Amino acid sequence: MAQKNEFPMWSPHERAKHFKRYTGELPVELKDSETITVEDNRYALNGKLKWIETTSKEENDEQPLGGLLVPNTYVTIRTNSLKTFAVGDIIELPKSSPLGGLWIIQDGMTTDYTYTPKQVQTYQYLPLSSLG
């Protein structure tokens, strides 16, 4: 039986928006008719989530394909959301927070559980990379 209630979590931030990449293969229900386009890919709103940063913002240079170094920013957030996140999903953090803007989920997601006596999902940790 799937867990229905989120683990309690306090956050000082407004809720972030979770966007899933829109493809013809996966059924997507548009909520509030909100979509965004990033690098010619269309993303549909999949819901909102509570969040809090678990690591401080790190700025590093990376060389994506070969050529010039490109500055990029990384942070890891924690959420109590029961949504299924995937590498490549977009998280829009609210403009009112210091991390406001578009972020993409990277490899390294983890999920914590507690046992009471059933297994209950508590938090998911999402490593994010800035989209600019």
Side-chain angles (χ1 to χ4, degrees):
M1 185 164 154
Q3 182 177 335
K4 295 181 183 175
N5 296 323
E6 293 178 343
F7 194 76
M9 178 176 142
W10 177 84
S11 174
H13 308 293
E14 294 177 39
R15 290 182 181 254
K17 295 179 181 176
H18 174 225
F19 291 89
K20 284 285 216 191
R21 185 169 176 203
Y22 180 79
T23 63
E25 301 166 0
L26 300 173
V28 175
E29 291 183 25
L30 293 180
K31 299 177 182 176
D32 302 328
S33 300
E34 188 166 350
T35 61
I36 58 173
T37 303
V38 178
E39 297 177 1
D40 296 330
N41 292 316
R42 186 158 296 215
Y43 292 83
L45 181 66
N46 189 38
K48 295 185 177 187
L49 57 118
K50 288 183 185 177
W51 66 280
I52 192 162
E53 58 270 41
T54 58
T55 63
S56 58
K57 184 165 73 169
E58 297 177 20
E59 296 185 11
N60 296 322
D61 292 333
E62 67 176 319
Q63 194 170 15
L65 295 175
L68 296 176
L69 291 174
V70 178
N72 204 351
T73 307
Y74 302 92
V75 70
T76 300
I77 64 170
R78 177 177 73 188
T79 180
N80 65 338
S81 177
L82 298 175
K83 295 184 182 313
T84 303
F85 298 97
V87 172
D89 287 356
I90 304 286
I91 302 290
E92 182 181 7
L93 299 179
K95 303 270 189 247
S96 61
S97 80
L99 300 173
L102 295 176
W103 298 79
I104 189 164
I105 298 177
Q106 299 293 313
D107 284 332
M109 293 179 292
T110 59
T111 304
D112 285 348
Y113 298 94
T114 189
Y115 296 88
T116 61
K118 295 180 184 177
Q119 178 177 314
V120 175
Q121 178 182 315
T122 56
Y123 302 114
Q124 293 186 69
Y125 294 86
L126 308 175
L128 304 177
S129 173
S130 175
L131 282 177

